[in-house]
């Protein structure tokens, strides 16, 4: 069984209109919410063995705020291709390239690709959560997907199951 942790970057800033999209930083809300997801991952013992992160500033900052809560020796790969991925198929192809890679992978990326990927992979799980994610994948959201496969090349060819959904604003409201 494979586990995919799918994390959309936390809320980013639009205050500098001259700044290139790739270089946009997290805003104050994003800086508060990313550690909330990190603490949630720690509490649930979600420890990926490999982390694939878009090279954009907001994804790197999100990951930097989550990392202190992860226990383990996850390999981290910053990948420009994840920033350029505009749909779930591009992300799925990246996962396929992992082949027999580690069984627990976290992908830190952007919409609409992250939202597309969950729609492609998950046919089972909490139907209310799946319906919400198909409509909108909020910034800072973490979904945990189990795939009935032993090789990443098989991701998408078997039914994935959404086993957890963590939204920073809901965690903070508890």
């Amino acid at each position: 069984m494979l586990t995919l942790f799918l994390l959309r970057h936390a809320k980013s800033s639009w205050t500098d209109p001259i700044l290139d999209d790739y270089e946009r930083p997290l805003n104050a809300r994003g800086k508060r919410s990313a550690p909330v997801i990190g603490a949630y991952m720690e509490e649930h013992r979600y420890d990926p063995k490999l982390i694939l992160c878009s090279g954009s500033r907001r994804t790197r900052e999100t990951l930097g705020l989550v990392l202190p809560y992860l226990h383990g020796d996850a390999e981290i790969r910053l990948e420009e291709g994840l920033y350029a991925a505009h749909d779930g198929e591009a992300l799925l192809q990246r996962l396929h390239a992992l082949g027999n890679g580690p069984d627990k992978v976290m992908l830190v990326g952007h919409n609409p690709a992250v939202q597309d990927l969950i729609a492609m992979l998950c046919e089972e799980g909490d139907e209310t959560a799946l319906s919400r994610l198909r409509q909108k994948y909020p910034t800072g959201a973490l979904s945990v997907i189990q795939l009935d496969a032993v090789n990443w090349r098989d991701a998408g060819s078997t039914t994935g199951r959404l086993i957890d959904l963590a939204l920073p604003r809901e965690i903070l409201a508890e």
Side-chain angles (χ1 to χ4, degrees):
M1 183 134 328
L2 301 175
T3 303
L4 176 64
F5 305 97
L6 197 53
L7 177 62
R8 183 176 176 204
H9 65 79
K11 192 76 173 165
S12 60
S13 173
W14 290 89
T15 57
D16 186 347
I18 299 172
L19 200 60
D20 182 66
D21 180 71
Y22 187 83
E23 292 301 324
R24 282 191 300 114
L26 295 181
N27 66 16
R29 188 173 107 195
K31 289 176 183 176
R32 284 189 309 270
S33 66
V36 169
I37 290 297
Y40 184 89
M41 291 182 74
E42 180 180 46
E43 178 184 337
H44 289 81
R45 296 188 177 139
Y46 291 152
D47 288 314
K49 295 177 183 171
L50 173 64
I51 300 171
L52 304 174
C53 182
S54 161
S56 76
R57 181 174 175 183
R58 60 192 177 274
T59 50
R60 288 182 286 122
E61 287 181 359
T62 299
L63 179 58
L65 293 168
V66 168
L67 273 177
Y69 298 92
L70 303 182
H71 305 288
D73 296 327
E75 177 185 352
I76 300 169
R77 296 182 192 166
L78 296 178
E79 299 193 358
E80 301 305 319
L82 296 179
Y83 175 76
H86 295 290
D87 59 27
E89 186 61 38
L91 296 181
L92 184 59
Q93 292 304 315
R94 178 61 190 99
L95 291 174
H96 285 171
L98 294 174
N100 254 352
D103 62 341
K104 295 178 184 176
V105 173
M106 182 163 76
L107 193 150
V108 186
H110 308 268
N111 252 4
V114 169
Q115 185 173 354
D116 288 349
L117 182 60
I118 198 162
M120 293 171 68
L121 292 178
C122 291
E123 294 179 17
E124 295 180 0
D126 179 333
E127 209 40 60
T128 302
L130 283 171
S131 177
R132 286 172 58 195
L133 289 177
R134 288 180 183 126
Q135 292 174 23
K136 181 181 179 184
Y137 201 105
T139 53
L142 172 73
S143 53
V144 182
I145 303 164
Q146 281 191 335
L147 301 167
D148 189 18
V150 293
N151 190 304
W152 288 101
R153 283 187 290 276
D154 297 329
S157 64
T158 62
T159 301
R161 179 172 182 77
L162 178 67
I163 61 167
D164 200 358
L165 171 63
L167 304 176
R169 69 176 179 268
E170 291 179 2
I171 296 168
L172 288 169
E174 292 177 351

